């Protein structure tokens, strides 16, 4: 994550699984949380970088459907 004004890196979220070089991220509408998906979906606190929740699938996951999104509400 980078500061848009300075271009300086603020925080790094490391990939944990191989997804063919792909990793997906989405910010919540209010910018306080973000979702990442590299085969494990994680909800993060954007300010602290702390993981809030982890969603892991116990079986095969279709790598085509790795994108993540927040509902506007």
């Amino acid at each position: 994550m980078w500061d848009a004004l300075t271009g300086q890196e603020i925080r790094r979220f490391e990939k944990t699984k191989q997804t063919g070089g792909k990793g997906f991220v989405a910010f919540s509408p209010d910018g306080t949380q973000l979702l990442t998906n590299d085969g494990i979906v994680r909800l993060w606190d954007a300010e602290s970088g702390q993981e809030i929740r982890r969603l892991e699938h116990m079986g095969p996951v279709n790598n085509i459907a790795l994108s993540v999104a927040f509902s506007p509400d």
Side-chain angles (χ1 to χ4, degrees):
M1 186 165 56
W2 294 269
D3 182 299
L5 294 175
T6 67
Q8 187 170 11
E9 184 178 301
I10 299 170
R11 185 160 289 104
R12 186 177 295 236
F13 298 89
E14 300 291 336
K15 285 178 40 169
T16 56
K17 288 192 170 188
Q18 295 296 355
T19 55
K22 297 175 185 157
F24 298 89
V25 66
F27 277 89
S28 62
D30 65 4
T32 62
Q33 297 177 335
L34 62 132
L35 285 170
T36 60
N37 188 357
D38 61 357
I40 298 173
V41 176
R42 298 169 199 262
L43 178 66
W44 303 88
D45 179 281
E47 180 74 24
S48 70
Q50 295 295 311
E51 184 179 308
I52 298 169
R53 183 159 294 138
R54 180 184 300 200
L55 303 167
E56 294 185 68
H57 193 272
M58 299 306 281
V61 175
N62 181 350
N63 283 344
I64 295 171
L66 289 175
S67 62
V68 291
F70 278 90
S71 170
D73 61 355

